[in-house]
Amino acid sequence: MERRENRLIACHWTIAGNQHPLRSDGTSPHSLPDRIRAAAGAGFSGIGFLHSDLARLLERYRPAEIARMLGDHGLTDIEVECLGDWFAVGERRRQSDAMRHMLIEFGAAVGARHLKLMGPIGEEWPLEHLAECYAGVAGDARGSGVRPAIELLPFSGIADPATGLKVVGGADGGLYLDIWHVRHGGIDDDQIRAIPIDRIVGIEINDAIPNPARDMMDATIGDRLPPGHGALDTAGFVRTMREIGYTGPIGVEIIADAHRALPLDEAVRIAFASATACAAGSGSDDGEAIEAGGGGGGA
């Protein structure tokens, strides 16, 4: 059982800098040493690695070198993401399998705790097929120390806990709960409490603008606020997770036009201060927290 304390992971997009999730390849303009230094200096206990950015990093660094950098800065809560098309066929599946092996191999080398999976978006697959394919991912990850976790997304084919648990079945791993997707997907605390605690691999916090003007996909990649600065009860979400026995670290994922335009140290400071306040059970009082980027869009 992991220690019960509010450890925070600086997810990739929180520290990636000025890169748009859809209009770029996700490669951060900030060097890895700078990201590690900033996250550790702010107080985070770990960071996240995105598949596309990681591929570039591995052209420069060996996994053992990255593991040493993380260890030197005391970063022990590591996540890797995001595996898509694990359910596909043909060329899509071939590329996904190659990515799967890279993420698991790297994750094992740096001691990552979980691998995030994204369900099908804009297409339907039989539940039995999804379960079979997920079992394949879990089988490949067996013995690596990296637990696969399906992130419930309201715009995907795996949007709710009941469906997610059916896909996971008896395989290792489980579900990943991001408050943005949980609440926008209409998942309430009763549904969360019904999830077996050993199937909650990880959780993530951020916040949302009330009364969104943009559609859900645009809002989720353009307008997420720091925890405690929007319409979501982030502190309440953390309390619920602790009450049901979740003892793992908390990911902090702020994906927003305004956030990615900030200097790295400022972005990290705001993310840590706001998340720490929420994790401690109160709203953030960081007066310098950013507002959502222009256009009045929301999440």
Side-chain angles (χ1 to χ4, degrees):
M1 180 66 73
E2 296 177 87
R3 300 189 310 275
R4 180 170 181 167
E5 57 186 69
N6 290 322
R7 303 172 349 250
L8 300 175
I9 298 174
C11 298
H12 169 79
W13 291 111
T14 298
I15 57 176
N18 200 12
Q19 290 291 295
H20 190 280
L22 296 183
R23 296 195 291 269
S24 76
D25 63 2
T27 301
S28 174
H30 302 309
S31 73
L32 180 60
D34 282 348
R35 282 179 273 168
I36 289 176
R37 172 198 55 76
F44 283 98
S45 66
I47 64 172
F49 290 87
L50 181 74
H51 60 277
S52 55
D53 186 67
L54 177 59
R56 295 290 183 87
L57 292 175
L58 292 176
E59 294 175 358
R60 177 171 182 179
Y61 303 103
R62 296 189 306 275
E65 291 179 282
I66 296 177
R68 185 167 54 252
M69 283 189 277
L70 294 170
D72 287 347
H73 287 80
L75 297 178
T76 57
D77 294 312
I78 308 302
E79 71 173 14
V80 290
E81 63 170 330
C82 177
L83 183 63
D85 280 351
W86 47 273
F87 46 81
V89 296
E91 180 60 18
R92 286 170 55 195
R93 177 60 180 271
R94 188 194 67 76
Q95 293 184 18
S96 177
D97 285 352
M99 183 189 302
R100 174 198 308 191
H101 295 307
M102 177 190 73
L103 291 171
I104 292 174
E105 182 177 346
F106 172 78
V110 301
R113 68 182 305 277
H114 62 256
L115 162 63
K116 290 161 67 174
L117 278 63
M118 181 172 61
I121 297 176
E123 56 186 350
E124 295 184 7
W125 293 87
L127 195 61
E128 296 78 7
H129 173 78
L130 293 174
E132 179 181 356
C133 294
Y134 175 85
V137 177
D140 283 352
R142 188 177 299 118
S144 68
V146 184
R147 297 187 72 197
I150 299 173
E151 185 168 10
L152 301 179
L153 304 174
F155 38 75
S156 83
I158 308 176
D160 60 87
T163 302
L165 290 172
K166 289 177 182 177
V167 173
V168 171
D172 186 35
L175 308 180
Y176 192 92
L177 307 180
D178 178 335
I179 185 174
W180 203 99
H181 299 304
V182 164
R183 295 315 189 205
H184 286 81
I187 300 171
D188 59 27
D189 282 357
D190 288 340
Q191 290 171 282
I192 292 175
R193 292 178 187 278
I195 304 171
I197 189 58
D198 65 331
R199 290 306 195 186
I200 301 178
V201 175
I203 67 173
E204 202 164 77
I205 59 175
N206 41 68
D207 220 320
I209 298 173
N211 304 315
R214 295 206 254 192
D215 67 30
M216 190 174 295
M217 180 62 78
D218 286 339
T220 195
I221 62 176
D223 292 321
R224 295 199 207 185
L225 296 173
H229 289 272
L232 303 179
D233 181 8
T234 311
F237 174 74
V238 174
R239 283 196 300 271
T240 295
M241 301 310 305
R242 294 309 190 197
E243 287 170 3
I244 65 177
Y246 178 75
T247 60
I250 302 168
V252 184
E253 186 175 60
I254 305 171
I255 311 178
D257 297 334
H259 184 82
R260 50 182 158 259
L262 293 173
L264 176 60
D265 286 339
E266 185 177 357
V268 172
R269 180 189 63 78
I270 289 173
F272 184 79
S274 58
T276 297
C278 286
S282 64
S284 172
D285 60 1
D286 182 355
E288 296 182 57
I290 59 174
E291 299 297 332

